[in-house]
Amino acid sequence: MDRMKCFKINGETLFLEKVLLYFQETPLLFICKNNEGERYIVFCQDTDKFIYLVSEISTSNLIN
């Protein structure tokens, strides 16, 4: 199964892992993962201009 590439930040590719929230078929809140297994939480703050906030998140914080 091919992984869907979402972002390339500082030469590192982030792949979609799980969408948590949609708005009109656009993912607003989702989790991405890099090749090393580190997770990032992503929030689309502007659906017209596709402006995203991306932050690394630990697995324990994600579970909480």
Side-chain angles (χ1 to χ4, degrees):
M1 183 169 139
D2 290 333
R3 299 185 297 172
M4 182 177 158
K5 294 178 184 178
C6 288
F7 301 99
K8 192 160 191 167
I9 300 174
N10 295 329
E12 187 170 31
T13 303
L14 303 182
F15 301 92
L16 179 64
E17 183 174 42
K18 177 76 175 172
V19 177
L20 303 174
L21 179 67
Y22 285 96
F23 176 72
Q24 297 179 348
E25 299 183 25
T26 301
L28 289 184
L29 184 66
F30 52 100
I31 304 300
C32 288
K33 198 173 185 182
N34 66 11
N35 286 325
E36 287 76 39
E38 298 165 324
R39 288 188 170 89
Y40 295 80
I41 190 159
V42 182
F43 174 68
C44 181
Q45 77 175 38
D46 188 326
T47 57
D48 293 325
K49 297 179 183 177
F50 295 105
I51 297 173
Y52 296 93
L53 298 173
V54 180
S55 179
E56 189 172 356
I57 188 168
S58 68
T59 303
S60 61
N61 279 339
L62 182 59
I63 291 170
N64 287 333

